[in-house]
Every structure is written in C-alpha cells, then in structure tokens.
Amino acid sequence: MAGYATATSAPTGGYADLLAEAEALQGQSKHFDGCQKINACMELFETEVGGADSQIVKEPKAFLEAFMPKMSADQKSALLRMFMVRGDIMIGLGATKRAALEYSCVETLSPDNEVAKEKRKQLTAGSSTMERDKDNKTPCSVLTGFLGSGKTTLLNHILKANHGKRIAVIENEFGEVGIDDDLVKGGQMAEEENIVEMNNGCICCTVRGDLIAGLKKLIKNGKKAGKPLDGVIIETTGLADPAPVAQTFFADDFVQKHMRLDGILTLVDAKHIIQHLDDEKPEGVENEAVEQIAFADRILLNKCDLVDSEAELEEVERRIRMINEKVPIKRTTNSEVDMDFVIGIRAFSLDQILQQDGAFLDDNDDHQHDPRVTSVGIDVPGEVIQQKLNEWISWLLKERGVNLFRSKGVLAVKGMQQKFVYQAIHMLFANSQEGEWAEGEERRCKMVFIGKNLDREELTSGFMKCMTK
C-alpha cells in the first residue's frame, strides 16, 4: 500500500478487519469515519496485549513503553500500520501536532522507517503540502453560553456591525415555543434566507443531521446566488454542550471540505455563573455551564454592570481560569465587544482540544441533559392586560426565580401597538417595545420558561389569567 511500504506483514487477530476499513476510509478522505475505525482497532489491539482504558489512543508513548517489550514481531508490525494510518487521518482532520505524535510512535517501533521520518519532518517544518487549505473555507463560529448570558444580544450586534461581511446564522432553541427568531434582527441577511432556525431538539445531541443540513443549505444558497458567505454563526441553546457541535465540522465530508471552525465563543453571565457552576447534577449528567467554559476559545464575561464589586468579578474570573486557564476573557456589558475579538479569530485548534479531551473525536451519544430542567411554552392568540401581567410576573420571579433559569416572550398587550418583548434571568427582568404589529397580522402572545422542576399547570394557568377575556 502506498505510504506504508515498510515490509510489514498482514495483521492477524480481531482488529485486522477494522484496520483495513480504516485504511479504506482514509483513502476516500473520510477522515472522521476513519478515526472511529482506527480507534476501535487500536483499542481492540490494546486489549489483546493486556492494556486497558484506551491508553493506546490517549497516551500512546506510555502505552509503547509499557507493552512494546511484550509484543511479538507481528504485533509490532500491525501496530506500526495503525499509528501510520492514524497519523494520516489526523492530518486530514487538521490535527498536525497529533499526527506528528503518531508518526513518532511509528519511529519508536521502527527507528529506520523512512516514510514516518519524512512525514514528521514535513510536519515539523510546517510544510504547506501537509496542511489543509484553509483559505477557501467559510469560517464558522459557535456561539454558546448558559441561559440568559446574552447570546442573542451579541448576535444582533454582529449582524448590525459595520464590518462589511456577509454572515449567516443558524439558531437553536431549547424552549417548546420559538422566541429568538422574533428577537434576531437580521436585516438584509434575513431577507436573503440566511437565517436558519432549528427548534426541534438540542443542537448538541439530537439534531446534528439538521445542523449539517443547515450548513449545506447556507453554502449552496450562497453559491447559487453568486454571493458566497464570509462567515456563519451557530447560536446554540443555553443548555448545549459545545463539544458535539464542534465535532460536526469533522464528522461530515461536505462540511469539512467547505467550512472550518473559527472559534467557540462563550458568553458568561457574571451575575449568575457561579451558582450554575456549583449546581450539583444527577449522576451521569454533565454540567453544561462548565463544558461551555472548558471548550471556549474566547470568553465574554457579560453583564458586569450587574455585579456589585471588583472583588466579585475577580472571583468569577478566577473560577473561569480554574476550568480554562489560558482563554482570553473580555469584560462586557450588554454583549458589546469589538468585532475582531469574535470574528475571524482562527482560534479553534483540534490539537489543543485533543490534548484536553482525548475522546473528542469519538462518535458517541452519551451526552445527557439534566432531566429536572425542562421548558414550558405558551403560544396563544389574543392580548394580555399589562397590569395583570406585571403583577403575575412580579409574583413569579419572587417565588420561583431561583429555579427559573430563563423566561422570555413576545406579547400583544391590549392598547399597545408595538410588540412587547419580555426577558428574565432568575429574578432579574427587563422589557422593551420592538416593532409594531403589521396591519392584518394576528395579535398573539408567545412565552417560554426554562428552569428546574417547573410546574406546567401553574405557569400556563397563571399566564392565561393575564389574558383579556
């Protein structure tokens, strides 16, 4: 086989078929699928020689030090091919530092292997022939952050900023009723169908196929119209783990060919983040607020105006650094930030992620949301009476605010021509009037509540008592 001409014998054992499949997938440039096969192959090999816990993938040098003296010549020969294949796959995925590690393992097994030496030499020298051509790929940013951190506000700043770039948006909401599509002001970009909504599941676990379809649609629409995009922003739900979203850019051949992950932007609510970081989750359920910080390439420490003291802000930053030590942090109010901090940053590094999370490229579905966290949506025709609404909201936030992570709505208020926009995070709330109801447009009320241990009947009946008869 080209690239592997090292006088190796065919592998034996249960991993042989997996190795052949990985080689075939790599030859077809199906790097992500090939990664799944070669990882499974190597883990099976690890079991055969007495290893465990995927050390062969996570810490290959330590694995070789421990088990190489016990291997037969055939086993060494087979393992050499595995490391070579995995190195080539890592290059295809853009993880050049990890590829160099795989090739160095080949050299440990066979010090005179000229193929591995040459490949590693090219990587070390930064040869352009070994890197993916990034310049003609559309950069994509993943916008994440816990519920109410200010993602939609930042998105509107980006869409309205005078940067001269054509930016498309993919939105994903956790709530039963879509509200953010009414809050995003896309201007001309929205008119050109460059805003894609995904409200049928959380982007990090149930709708990867929809995300891939949305990305493909944006690329194809841009080419068809002769107006290629300068960038794409994916706004996740406040409960999304960004890792599976980032993984999408390596899991689909079309997406990998046409797009690159520019960076993961995490907004942090300075007022409320510590209580979410300290939230005790059920066994097997990860803390999304922690994951969002851990995978961030940039952090916007938002809503600093709501924090009482500099000492409190410094404590929040200290907690962030405990999770992600070197991430750049920018303090913000109302999500206002220079565009060069969030757009075109080329900050995402697969090599760094693999150092942090060796299982990042594993294609599994073990992500679990906290089952206590749910959403209640209301979408009804008609109008509310403002005084009744104010009284009910005041009671709700006072009595239920601790567990009410996020609530938002676009409402028709009796006697008010403009749309009434309501937003709250725990016990803090704000409202505004955004645009008038169009002539002939049905006046209706949409509300969504997201929180822990919500009482659907209490929320629904309480809101309906605010409606006009």
Side-chain angles (χ1 to χ4, degrees):
M1 180 176 294
Y4 309 120
T6 54
T8 62
S9 58
T12 59
Y15 50 80
D17 290 342
L18 288 169
L19 177 55
E21 290 179 50
E23 289 174 333
L25 289 166
Q26 167 58 19
Q28 299 167 31
S29 297
K30 295 183 179 294
H31 310 300
F32 183 81
D33 292 338
C35 186
Q36 309 313 309
K37 294 295 183 183
I38 197 63
N39 286 356
C41 170
M42 296 177 82
E43 287 166 357
L44 195 59
F45 178 91
E46 177 181 47
T47 303
E48 180 178 293
V49 298
D53 299 326
S54 301
Q55 185 187 37
I56 190 172
V57 172
K58 297 174 182 177
E59 299 176 304
K61 287 289 189 180
F63 172 82
L64 286 176
E65 184 177 349
F67 293 98
M68 190 172 143
K70 307 174 187 177
M71 293 182 197
S72 67
D74 285 346
Q75 286 175 330
K76 291 179 182 178
S77 178
L79 185 57
L80 184 152
R81 280 180 62 187
M82 294 177 203
F83 279 124
M84 191 76 84
V85 170
R86 197 167 195 274
D88 291 352
I89 287 172
M90 289 298 114
I91 288 177
L93 291 170
T96 54
K97 290 182 180 178
R98 181 63 201 223
L101 175 61
E102 306 295 338
Y103 295 143
S104 72
C105 289
V106 172
E107 293 180 68
T108 299
L109 288 160
S110 175
D112 296 327
N113 190 293
E114 295 299 328
V115 175
K117 283 183 179 180
E118 181 60 26
K119 288 186 176 185
R120 195 156 71 91
K121 180 181 176 182
Q122 288 179 328
L123 286 173
T124 304
S127 171
S128 60
T129 61
M130 298 295 290
E131 296 179 356
R132 292 190 301 167
D133 180 10
K134 301 175 182 178
D135 293 336
N136 48 7
K137 293 185 179 183
T138 302
C140 301
S141 302
V142 176
L143 181 56
T144 187
F146 204 73
L147 297 160
S149 57
K151 296 185 295 297
T152 301
T153 304
L154 174 61
L155 187 57
N156 279 322
H157 287 327
I158 294 172
L159 291 176
K160 293 189 291 184
N162 185 26
H163 44 58
K165 297 182 183 295
R166 297 179 51 77
I167 296 176
V169 173
I170 292 179
E171 281 188 308
N172 181 219
E173 291 192 68
F174 181 79
E176 294 178 335
V177 174
I179 299 291
D180 285 355
D181 54 314
D182 293 317
L183 303 180
V184 173
K185 306 170 185 67
Q188 183 181 356
M189 292 302 291
E191 294 171 10
E192 294 177 4
E193 298 185 352
N194 284 311
I195 294 182
V196 176
E197 300 164 34
M198 291 173 21
N199 296 331
N200 60 332
C202 183
I203 199 171
C204 69
C205 47
T206 61
V207 290
R208 174 187 279 173
D210 290 349
L211 173 58
I212 291 171
L215 291 168
K216 290 180 177 178
K217 175 183 176 182
L218 291 173
I219 290 294
K220 291 175 180 177
N221 282 354
K223 290 184 176 180
K224 184 177 180 181
K227 299 177 179 180
L229 294 171
D230 296 310
V232 175
I233 296 175
I234 302 169
E235 181 188 6
T236 72
T237 77
L239 295 173
D241 176 356
V245 183
Q247 193 187 71
T248 300
F249 289 88
F250 306 96
D252 182 82
D253 297 336
F254 182 91
V255 172
Q256 189 189 14
K257 182 178 179 181
H258 292 91
M259 297 180 162
R260 64 172 173 83
L261 183 53
D262 189 52
I264 296 175
L265 316 174
T266 299
L267 277 96
V268 172
D269 179 349
K271 180 70 174 177
H272 299 105
I273 186 60
I274 288 181
Q275 73 183 80
H276 292 301
L277 294 178
D278 292 340
D279 188 16
E280 292 188 12
K281 297 288 186 179
E283 185 176 354
V285 175
E286 61 192 25
N287 187 320
E288 293 91 353
V290 173
E291 296 296 315
Q292 290 163 358
I293 291 173
F295 276 88
D297 295 306
R298 295 283 190 276
I299 283 182
L300 278 70
L301 183 57
N302 197 31
K303 306 192 177 183
C304 291
D305 55 319
L306 302 179
V307 175
D308 295 332
S309 67
E310 174 67 20
E312 189 177 343
L313 278 174
E314 290 177 355
E315 174 61 16
V316 171
E317 290 184 346
R318 186 187 72 82
R319 292 292 301 272
I320 291 172
R321 294 289 182 203
M322 288 175 63
I323 301 169
N324 190 335
E325 183 179 3
K326 297 181 180 179
V327 65
I329 300 174
K330 183 83 71 175
R331 294 185 182 183
T332 61
T333 297
N334 198 32
S335 302
E336 294 179 352
V337 66
D338 291 338
M339 290 299 103
D340 59 7
F341 188 75
V342 294
I343 292 180
I345 57 178
R346 288 187 177 271
F348 183 85
S349 167
L350 181 57
D351 278 313
Q352 290 181 11
I353 292 295
L354 288 172
Q355 288 179 353
Q356 172 183 326
D357 179 6
F360 172 74
L361 291 171
D362 290 351
D363 190 15
N364 55 47
D365 300 315
D366 62 356
H367 173 70
Q368 295 182 47
H369 288 299
D370 188 339
R372 301 169 300 173
V373 178
T374 58
S375 77
V376 175
I378 299 169
D379 186 359
V380 293
E383 301 174 321
V384 293
I385 298 172
Q386 187 158 16
Q387 183 178 350
K388 290 185 177 181
L389 178 70
N390 291 344
E391 292 173 354
W392 179 67
I393 289 293
S394 296
W395 173 87
L396 181 67
L397 298 185
K398 180 181 178 182
E399 299 297 327
R400 305 288 185 259
V402 172
N403 286 333
L404 193 57
F405 298 160
R406 186 79 164 100
S407 52
K408 50 189 173 179
V410 178
L411 310 173
V413 176
K414 184 178 180 180
M416 186 183 294
Q417 183 55 36
Q418 290 184 303
K419 296 179 179 180
F420 184 82
V421 175
Y422 163 82
Q423 303 201 51
I425 302 103
H426 291 288
M427 287 167 256
L428 298 178
F429 70 95
N431 60 70
S432 61
Q433 297 178 25
E434 302 284 350
E436 295 189 353
W437 293 93
E439 185 176 351
E441 181 181 3
E442 182 183 34
R443 292 172 69 89
R444 62 188 305 117
C445 296
K446 292 182 181 180
M447 284 284 286
V448 65
F449 305 92
I450 304 172
K452 186 163 61 178
N453 302 321
L454 298 183
D455 185 330
R456 179 179 295 274
E457 174 59 28
E458 178 183 73
L459 291 169
T460 303
S461 61
F463 180 81
M464 294 307 295
K465 290 176 183 177
C466 303
M467 300 287 291
T468 58
K469 302 299 182 184

